[in-house]
């Protein structure tokens, strides 16, 4: 399954948190991060926190991938 990062605002009035939890349940290899006191657009409401979460996840996957490649070559 493709690694999936789900970023959700706890105060999202468009898509409630239960929807994020359902996504996490059905998307194998997914990780749900819930932002407290953030609504439907965490990338606009908390851009630094959102960017850090995305970059951290991408870098962790790149690191794991490069370690895997180093051991298989």
């Amino acid at each position: 399954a493709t690694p999936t990062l789900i970023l959700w605002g706890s105060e999202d009035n468009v898509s409630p948190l239960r929807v994020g939890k359902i996504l996490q349940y059905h998307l194998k290899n997914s990780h749900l991060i819930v932002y407290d006191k953030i609504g439907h657009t965490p990338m606009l409401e908390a851009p630094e926190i959102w960017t850090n979460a995305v970059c951290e996840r991408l870098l962790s996957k790149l690191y794991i991938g490069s370690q895997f490649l180093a051991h298989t070559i």
Side-chain angles (χ1 to χ4, degrees), residues 4-72:
T4 304
L5 180 60
I6 304 167
L7 305 173
W8 217 271
S10 66
E11 305 299 318
D12 190 334
N13 293 324
V14 177
S15 300
L17 180 55
R18 65 179 169 77
V19 175
K21 291 179 178 181
I22 291 169
L23 283 172
Q24 181 185 25
Y25 176 80
H26 288 288
L27 294 172
K28 304 304 179 211
N29 200 19
S30 66
H31 181 72
L32 173 65
I33 297 176
V34 179
Y35 296 107
D36 192 33
K37 299 180 182 173
I38 299 292
H40 187 67
T41 54
M43 70 293 279
L44 300 176
E45 297 173 53
E48 287 183 20
I49 296 171
W50 185 87
T51 301
N52 287 340
V54 171
C55 290
E56 182 178 300
R57 187 68 171 181
L58 287 173
L59 290 174
S60 72
K61 292 300 174 188
L62 287 174
Y63 175 75
I64 291 169
S66 65
Q67 289 290 82
F68 175 76
L69 287 174
H71 291 293
T72 57

